């Protein structure tokens, strides 16, 4: 099976079924995306920003999705904007089969995604006055894999990282460049990216174990112990937290359900982010 075929099989869940409603995607009032030298992005700004420059959540879509599709998740986008955050939704590059996905594995050829996202942030700062310090890189499925790999290689590019339903592939990195603030959310019943990982493409590729990825992050953050500092249940969500020093905290939220962005994720994630600012 080709790489594109493997990705299609593994990550087609990146087109999230809960996306619905009309989204205000585009660039400065246009329905067309903002164009930069390395790609495109959509942006939606809060009506009444609570601080200047405006803090940002960059959300990376799943396999087969698009920035415009992300903006159609009005429940998520409006929840972020109501808290005073701009939402930026970049486009991944097109594959030969016509689907978009991120070049997250270091061994793959394609666009330099960290450089692209740096250009996105610089352009959005110049055009729209958004912050380049109060920034969260989030993503779903293939976008979440991209979040983990970028955080591992370039931990200082964003203030915090929030992957949903994605971790590392095998073999996962042996080490990461430095500590990060990480909020990982995953569905208990996720079959597209199971918690334990799975083989893909006649065992050509293997999704990694989410718990092994969290162990790598604890090592990277210099946590004194693998045991969490706090465990609790928030309604139906099971949560664990590791406080490993300034700028080195990890939170894991296991929610009931499958391969999706859970209801209420925006507020829960922002509560975590703001508590550590």
């Amino acid at each position: 099976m080709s790489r594109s075929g493997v990705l299609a099989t593994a990550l087609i869940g990146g087109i999230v079924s809960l996306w619905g409603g009309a989204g205000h995607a585009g660039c400065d009032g246009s329905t067309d995306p903002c164009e930069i030298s390395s790609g495109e992005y959509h942006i939606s700004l809060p009506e009444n920003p609570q601080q200047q420059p405006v803090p940002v959540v960059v959300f990376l879509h799943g396999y087969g999705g698009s920035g415009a599709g992300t903006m159609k998740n009005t429940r998520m986008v409006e929840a972020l904007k109501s808290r005073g955050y701009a939402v930026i939704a970049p486009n991944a590059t097109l594959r030969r089969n016509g689907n978009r996905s991120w070049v997250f594995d270091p061994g793959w050829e394609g666009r330099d995604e960290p450089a692209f996202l740096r250009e996105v942030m610089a352009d959005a700062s110049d055009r729209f006055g958004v912050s380049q310090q109060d920034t969260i890189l989030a993503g779903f499925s293939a976008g979440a894999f991209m979040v983990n790999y970028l955080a591992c290689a370039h931990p200082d590019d964003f203030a915090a990282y929030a992957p949903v339903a994605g971790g590392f592939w095998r073999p996962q990195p042996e080490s990461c460049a430095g500590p990060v603030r990480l909020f990982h959310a995953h569905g208990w019943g996720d079959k597209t990216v199971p918690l334990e990982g799975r083989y893909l493409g006649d065992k050509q590729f293997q999704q990694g174990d989410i718990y092994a990825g969290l162990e790598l992050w604890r090592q990277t953050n210099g946590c004194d112990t693998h045991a969490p500092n706090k465990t609790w249940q928030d309604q139906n969500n099971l949560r664990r937290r590791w406080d490993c020093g300034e700028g080195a905290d990890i939170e894991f939220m296991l929610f009931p359900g499958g391969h999706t962005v859970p209801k209420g994720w925006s507020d829960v994630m922002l509560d975590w982010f703001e508590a550590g600012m």
Side-chain angles (χ1 to χ4, degrees), residues 230-264:
K230 182 180 179 182
T231 62
W232 73 104
Q233 183 167 344
D234 176 14
Q235 297 182 356
N236 292 323
N237 301 319
L238 299 177
R239 299 173 66 178
R240 307 174 83 82
R241 182 177 178 85
W242 293 265
D243 294 306
C244 305
E246 184 177 356
D249 59 290
I250 303 166
E251 192 160 311
F252 180 55
M253 184 177 78
L254 189 61
F255 60 88
H259 197 62
T260 188
V261 178
K263 183 178 180 180

Side-chain angles (χ1 to χ4, degrees), residues 197-270:
R198 66 182 176 117
Y199 285 105
L200 305 168
D202 195 26
K203 297 190 176 182
Q204 184 180 6
F205 299 103
Q206 185 182 7
Q207 293 173 349
D209 188 302
I210 295 302
Y211 296 106
L214 290 171
E215 180 179 20
L216 173 60
W217 284 122
R218 291 194 297 270
Q219 294 170 351
T220 300
N221 280 12
C223 300
D224 293 332
T225 175
H226 289 303
N229 298 97
K230 182 180 179 182
T231 62
W232 73 104
Q233 183 167 344
D234 176 14
Q235 297 182 356
N236 292 323
N237 301 319
L238 299 177
R239 299 173 66 178
R240 307 174 83 82
R241 182 177 178 85
W242 293 265
D243 294 306
C244 305
E246 184 177 356
D249 59 290
I250 303 166
E251 192 160 311
F252 180 55
M253 184 177 78
L254 189 61
F255 60 88
H259 197 62
T260 188
V261 178
K263 183 178 180 180
W265 171 84
S266 299
D267 283 319
V268 173
M269 186 273 293
L270 290 180

Side-chain angles (χ1 to χ4, degrees), residues 31 73 267:
T31 56
N73 183 356
D267 283 319

Side-chain angles (χ1 to χ4, degrees), residues 18-24 70-79:
L18 58 79
W19 276 194
H24 301 285
T70 295
M71 290 300 188
K72 291 180 180 179
N73 183 356
T74 54
R75 185 176 69 193
M76 180 185 78
V77 171
E78 293 304 319

Side-chain angles (χ1 to χ4, degrees), residues 12 25 27 30 35 41 52 56 86 98 103 154 156 167 176 182 187 192-193 199 217 219 237-238 244 255-256 259 270:
I12 197 65
C27 186
S30 168
E35 295 186 4
Y41 69 92
Q52 293 290 343
V56 180
V103 185
H154 305 282
D156 296 329
C176 293
L182 182 82
T192 302
V193 184
Y199 285 105
W217 284 122
Q219 294 170 351
N237 301 319
L238 299 177
C244 305
F255 60 88
H259 197 62
L270 290 180

Side-chain angles (χ1 to χ4, degrees), residues 6-7 9-12 104 141-142 145 149 165-172 186 190-200 203-210 212 259:
V6 171
L7 286 171
T9 301
L11 300 170
I12 197 65
F104 56 80
S141 194
F145 285 105
Y149 278 97
F168 294 106
W169 281 28
R170 294 287 192 182
Q172 73 177 26
H186 214 97
D190 194 329
K191 296 181 180 180
T192 302
V193 184
L195 285 163
E196 299 79 9
R198 66 182 176 117
Y199 285 105
L200 305 168
K203 297 190 176 182
Q204 184 180 6
F205 299 103
Q206 185 182 7
Q207 293 173 349
D209 188 302
I210 295 302
H259 197 62

Side-chain angles (χ1 to χ4, degrees), residues 86-125:
V87 179
I88 294 177
N91 280 332
T93 51
L94 286 169
R95 299 291 184 239
R96 293 179 180 176
N97 62 3
N99 287 319
R100 296 184 183 275
S101 193
W102 304 96
V103 185
F104 56 80
D105 190 289
W108 294 352
E109 296 181 355
R111 182 173 66 184
D112 183 335
E113 303 291 24
F116 164 63
L117 291 171
R118 290 186 206 113
E119 187 180 2
V120 167
M121 292 305 303
D123 187 79
S125 177

